[in-house]
Amino acid sequence: MCSNCSKLVRRNFSCGHQLLLRIGKVTFCLYYPHTTKDYHAVVTQYDNATRDHECKECAIRKEASNKGLRGAERLDFIKNNYAKTWEAKAREEAKKSAALANTSQQATDPETIVKLNKKAESQVKFYLAHPSRYRLDTIGRAELLKTILRAPDAIDRKALVTLFGSYSVFDQKENVWKGMPVNERNYLLVIARHAGLSRTLEYGLSLKKPEDLQAREKTDV
């Protein structure tokens, strides 16, 4: 995990509120290692289902009404009690994390972008080379793909998706093609389709050897 990148979630509640919350550190970082001032990004995911309860702030407002509180006393009750909740802390941390990430992405020059993309490629290959360490089962691999698809525009997401696909079916240790179960392949293609990159992923998965390794072999000849 990267201690300087945050995982955020947009969560819907039964009261109608949608909140952006920080839920922890990212599992996969395309910019590692870096500080909070260096270029990085948050990873935001979405809850598909609405929670069957209201947000904490609405719950506390309802409690204040049940107590018959009015005016300044009501406002103080809501403010003081909400500040103690995990939700309030998670909202504030999400806001700060997003602001830091946005600031780090400003005024990025072409040379830096080239370096960032090379680092991102290196990180993707590193994660896929250590499936046990990073729990790259179907769910773990899907999370890595989503991290790529949600990368900022400075990152060449299409190239990374091809790279991800080709190294997902290639054993870097044994230097041989290993393939992928059909159900996992289809699951990843559905995720890529939402980002308009299913054909790109399909191409990467079809390669018997990653493109960079093919190019290296031609150079060595």
Side-chain angles (χ1 to χ4, degrees):
M1 290 189 177
C2 175
S3 59
N4 292 314
C5 282
S6 296
K7 183 187 294 184
L8 313 182
V9 62
R10 288 195 180 278
R11 182 165 291 166
N12 297 310
F13 294 87
S14 61
C15 55
H17 288 138
Q18 183 187 80
L19 303 181
L20 182 64
L21 309 169
R22 182 182 186 275
I23 56 175
K25 303 172 184 177
V26 297
T27 304
F28 304 106
C29 176
L30 303 178
Y31 326 97
Y32 186 86
H34 64 86
T35 68
T36 54
K37 292 183 179 181
D38 295 326
Y39 190 101
H40 68 285
V42 296
V43 175
T44 304
Q45 62 186 51
Y46 299 83
D47 272 0
N48 293 324
T50 299
R51 294 295 168 116
D52 60 0
H53 56 83
E54 58 198 356
C55 69
K56 291 294 183 182
E57 186 170 11
C58 284
I60 292 172
R61 287 180 181 276
K62 184 179 292 185
E63 185 180 353
S65 296
N66 292 337
K67 290 178 178 290
L69 301 178
R70 297 288 185 274
E73 186 180 14
R74 172 186 171 84
L75 293 176
D76 286 343
F77 178 85
I78 295 170
K79 179 181 179 181
N80 295 334
N81 282 278
Y82 186 65
K84 300 173 185 177
T85 64
W86 172 86
E87 182 182 284
K89 182 180 179 182
R91 288 178 70 180
E92 186 61 28
E93 289 181 343
K95 184 178 179 181
K96 290 180 179 178
S97 296
L100 282 170
N102 288 336
T103 299
S104 77
Q105 296 170 24
Q106 301 305 310
T108 306
D109 59 88
E111 184 179 349
T112 300
I113 290 176
V114 171
K115 291 180 179 178
L116 285 170
N117 277 280
K118 286 184 177 179
K119 181 182 284 189
E121 291 175 1
S122 177
Q123 284 300 109
V124 171
K125 288 190 284 187
F126 175 78
Y127 290 130
L128 292 173
H130 301 86
S132 297
R133 185 190 305 180
Y134 294 100
R135 298 180 182 177
L136 286 177
D137 52 9
T138 301
I139 300 302
R141 209 179 297 272
E143 185 174 352
L144 176 55
L145 176 59
K146 289 176 182 178
T147 299
I148 294 169
L149 295 174
R150 292 165 181 165
D153 290 340
I155 302 300
D156 189 342
R157 293 186 290 270
K158 187 174 182 179
L160 276 188
V161 169
T162 299
L163 185 83
F164 168 85
S166 63
Y167 275 93
S168 290
V169 294
F170 188 77
D171 190 320
Q172 296 183 59
K173 186 177 180 181
E174 300 297 331
N175 197 36
V176 294
W177 185 82
K178 62 180 180 180
M180 177 182 289
V182 174
N183 59 339
E184 181 175 354
R185 180 180 183 277
N186 291 339
Y187 180 59
L188 295 175
L189 285 171
V190 169
I191 293 172
R193 188 171 297 119
H194 289 308
L197 291 172
S198 59
R199 289 187 178 181
T200 302
L201 177 58
E202 196 163 15
Y203 169 70
L205 292 170
S206 71
L207 295 174
K208 296 299 181 182
K209 183 169 288 188
E211 291 179 328
D212 58 330
L213 295 184
Q214 293 181 41
R216 190 181 306 165
E217 288 179 354
K218 291 179 181 179
T219 303
D220 293 339
V221 173

